[in-house]
Amino acid sequence: MKKLTFRRITRTSQKDMDIVRDVITDYTHFLFAHKSSFNDFRVISDKNNTQIFYYETKIINWLPISPIIKFIAIKKIYPEKNYFTQVYINTKNKKITYFKCHAIQEHNSIKIVNDFMIPVSSFTYFFRKIVIKLINK
């Protein structure tokens, strides 16, 4: 199995790391800020900096009709280090996607770095540049 590994970086004008940390680690913002990305979202557990979710996400969220993937996601939060890791387990094919998000204080802003590692077929891997552009859209 091939894997696509890529990074997204965003910068915020917000200078308060406490606020940024709260946003990146609190799943409730997901329900409003990313509502076009999923069909169903349920919290299974939220204890001791570990959160477990079930959700159904659209493969291409900007298309009106898109295939759906169902995941169980396990998020481990490290608030003292301003990051979290998340593992997505596809309930259909059992493939695992890894995600890490961390916030870094810069001079006049905070940089948010998202690292992804997604399992893909050899065919998809061959077209990885196009696929990553679609994912980032």
Side-chain angles (χ1 to χ4, degrees), residues 33-105:
H34 305 286
K35 64 183 169 203
S36 67
S37 298
F38 61 92
N39 283 1
D40 192 6
F41 182 87
R42 300 173 192 214
V43 178
I44 296 170
S45 177
D46 186 357
K47 298 178 187 171
N48 303 323
N49 290 331
T50 300
Q51 300 169 336
I52 303 172
F53 313 111
Y54 167 81
Y55 67 93
E56 299 174 2
T57 187
K58 298 174 185 176
I59 292 176
I60 304 172
N61 69 338
W62 43 268
L63 282 178
I65 299 174
S66 173
I68 303 294
I69 300 177
K70 299 174 183 178
F71 289 103
I72 297 292
I74 303 166
K75 178 193 270 186
K76 182 67 180 167
I77 303 168
Y78 303 90
E80 68 283 353
K81 296 182 180 179
N82 303 319
Y83 82 92
F84 71 86
T85 59
Q86 192 157 312
V87 176
Y88 301 87
I89 304 165
N90 184 316
T91 62
K92 183 176 180 181
N93 61 21
K94 311 303 186 260
K95 291 180 183 176
I96 296 175
T97 297
Y98 297 95
F99 175 58
K100 180 179 178 182
C101 176
H102 56 282
I104 301 165
Q105 185 79 49

Side-chain angles (χ1 to χ4, degrees), residues 9-24 81-82 101-113:
I9 298 174
T10 55
R11 286 178 173 71
T12 176
S13 59
Q14 177 58 254
K15 297 175 186 173
D16 186 339
M17 183 60 82
D18 291 336
I19 292 172
V20 172
R21 183 184 320 107
D22 285 347
V23 170
I24 68 171
K81 296 182 180 179
N82 303 319
C101 176
H102 56 282
I104 301 165
Q105 185 79 49
E106 292 190 329
H107 301 290
N108 293 325
S109 66
I110 296 174
K111 177 169 70 171
I112 301 169
V113 179

